[in-house]
């Protein structure tokens, strides 16, 4: 039997994994279920904003975080990356004695699945550090135990997430799409945004339809056609995010006025996502957003990006 390929380890046997943020190009939210969750039709696209998670053998569990938003990230066992390491260790009868370091570049509580990215990164880094080489399907199942968005962070590319978002079907994407992300001052809590969504729907007339993937959107992704994708973008959580953070409307308008083809709140927000015609247009939109003062920072990038990758 052939041996699994050795994973390159850095100084002191460190394994580093780079893991992307995501934007939901479609986020359709079904009615509130009795268990408190919602069924989703969630089209994820991984984009080129990354966290890096490094795992190094240690005497006891330790977690550190660097980056401008490090102070907003829990540096104890509640961190999703630490929980990922504990889960993998427990399943394999190991002690979770590892130093995890997160170099954080994904906005915190920004609707871009930063915590999920770190969980997927930690799982892969520890798997390689401990020489486990867990089969991909098992890693994806562990990711789903950690959170609805974690399997996609491992997988990357583009995928349809159903159920709570964790039942993934990879999607074909025919080209790169250019995006700008306007990062807001302060985050929004995902559970708060879902609660506000339910509250707004209770107040409105009519039932909530079962969520389904929007075929014209999938066709535009397959074709790599930005102009066709723009009018299909849709986020059912946007009214709730705008209700909790009305100033986001101005951010969305600013990006559109600067030439973005479409604008939407990313996931539960408050990060706003703008689809641009090409890389130059994305840079112009990012400059206009930064100059407007309607966001803390604006970043131009593209997607699809690869999933969690050992570097
Ligand atoms: P999603 O898009 O999946 O709803 P999000 O991008 O809005 O998530 P996160 O950045 O994942 O939000 O952070 C949500 C909360 O999770 C934070 O406020 C923080 O308290 C907690 N958290 C736990 N682990 C992490 C982590 N590794 N990075 C960031 N936040 C974390």
């Amino acid at each position: 039997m052939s041996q699994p390929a050795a994973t390159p380890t850095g100084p002191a046997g460190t394994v580093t994994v780079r893991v992307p943020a995501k934007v939901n190009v479609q986020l359709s939210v079904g009615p509130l279920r009795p268990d408190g969750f919602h069924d989703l039709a969630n089209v994820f696209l991984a984009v080129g904003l990354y966290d890096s998670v490094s795992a190094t053998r240690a005497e006891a569990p330790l977690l550190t975080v660097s980056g401008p938003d490090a102070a907003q990230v829990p540096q104890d066992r509640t961190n999703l990356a630490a929980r990922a390491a504990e889960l993998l260790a427990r399943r394999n009868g190991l002690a979770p004695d590892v130093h995890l370091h997160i170099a954080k570049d994904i906005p915190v509580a920004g609707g871009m699945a930063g915590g999920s990215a770190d969980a997927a990164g930690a799982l892969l880094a520890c798997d390689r550090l401990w020489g486990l080489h867990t089969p991909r399907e098992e890693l994806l199942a562990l990711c789903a135990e950690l959170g609805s968005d974690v399997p996609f962070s491992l997988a990357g590319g583009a995928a349809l997430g159903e159920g709570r978002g964790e039942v993934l079907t990879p999607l074909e994407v025919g080209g790169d799409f250019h995006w700008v992300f306007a990062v807001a001052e302060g985050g929004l809590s995902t559970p708060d945004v879902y609660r506000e969504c339910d509250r707004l729907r209770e107040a409105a007339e009519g039932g909530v339809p079962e969520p389904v993937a929007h075929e014209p959107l999938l066709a535009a992704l397959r074709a790599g056609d930005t102009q066709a994708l723009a009018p299909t973008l849709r986020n059912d959580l946007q009214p709730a995010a705008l209700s909790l953070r009305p100033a986001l409307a101005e951010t969305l308008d600013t990006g559109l006025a600067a030439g973005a083809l479409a604008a939407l709140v990313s996931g539960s927000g408050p990060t706003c996502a703008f689809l641009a015609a090409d890389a130059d247009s994305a840079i112009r939109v990012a400059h206009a957003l930064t100059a407007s003062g309607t966001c803390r920072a604006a970043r131009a990038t593209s997607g699809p990006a690869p999933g969690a990758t050992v570097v």
Side-chain angles (χ1 to χ4, degrees):
M1 224 170 70
S2 66
Q3 295 293 313
T7 298
T9 48
T14 297
V15 178
T16 299
V17 170
R18 195 180 76 151
V19 62
K22 60 82 186 164
V23 61
N24 305 89
V25 288
Q26 178 186 344
L27 178 44
S28 295
V29 180
L32 181 63
R33 302 191 319 203
D35 65 0
F37 287 101
H38 300 77
D39 282 321
L40 304 177
N42 197 345
V43 181
F44 296 103
L45 184 73
V47 294
L49 302 183
Y50 301 94
D51 283 356
S52 284
V53 183
S54 299
T56 310
R57 287 185 192 279
E59 301 278 302
L62 174 67
L63 186 129
T64 51
V65 185
S66 61
D69 294 341
Q72 297 166 46
V73 179
Q75 308 212 4
D76 57 17
R77 288 178 59 185
T78 65
N79 191 297
L80 267 182
R83 288 177 39 209
E86 275 182 23
L87 178 65
L88 186 70
R90 197 164 57 241
R91 287 297 153 84
N92 289 279
L94 299 171
D97 293 338
V98 61
H99 175 192
L100 292 172
H101 180 74
I102 301 170
K104 191 124 198 87
D105 197 35
I106 301 175
V108 177
M112 299 193 76
S116 303
D118 299 341
L123 203 61
L124 184 60
C126 290
D127 180 71
R128 297 304 150 87
L129 183 74
W130 296 332
L132 300 170
H133 293 276
T134 308
R136 186 107 182 136
E137 285 309 310
E138 278 176 42
L139 278 183
L140 284 168
L142 291 172
C143 286
E145 287 185 43
L146 291 160
S148 306
D149 288 353
V150 183
F152 179 71
S153 297
L154 187 77
L160 170 64
E162 294 171 293
R164 285 184 288 119
E166 84 288 14
V167 184
L168 286 187
T169 308
L171 294 174
E172 196 191 321
V173 183
D176 279 341
F177 295 95
H178 296 276
W179 293 91
V180 178
F181 294 97
V183 182
E185 203 64 68
L188 273 177
S189 145
T190 302
D192 286 355
V193 176
Y194 273 97
R195 265 193 295 278
E196 181 67 0
C197 175
D198 294 333
R199 193 187 69 79
L200 293 174
R201 284 171 163 183
E202 257 173 43
E205 295 286 309
V208 178
E210 287 304 322
V212 284
H214 187 45
E215 189 43 49
L217 179 142
L218 301 184
L221 282 179
R222 265 195 309 273
D225 185 338
T226 304
Q227 298 290 338
L229 185 67
T232 66
L233 298 178
R234 153 179 201 165
N235 179 3
D236 281 357
L237 292 180
Q238 181 159 318
L242 286 172
S243 166
L244 296 174
R245 198 68 78 80
L248 293 180
E250 211 186 319
T251 315
L252 295 171
D253 288 346
T254 302
L256 288 171
L261 300 177
L264 83 169
V265 169
S266 176
S268 54
T271 304
C272 292
F274 301 87
L275 182 64
D278 51 37
D280 286 345
S281 168
I283 289 166
R284 280 195 299 276
V285 170
H287 282 151
L289 281 161
T290 306
S292 74
T294 61
C295 59
R296 177 158 64 93
R299 313 270 303 269
T301 184
S302 64
T309 308
V310 178
V311 293

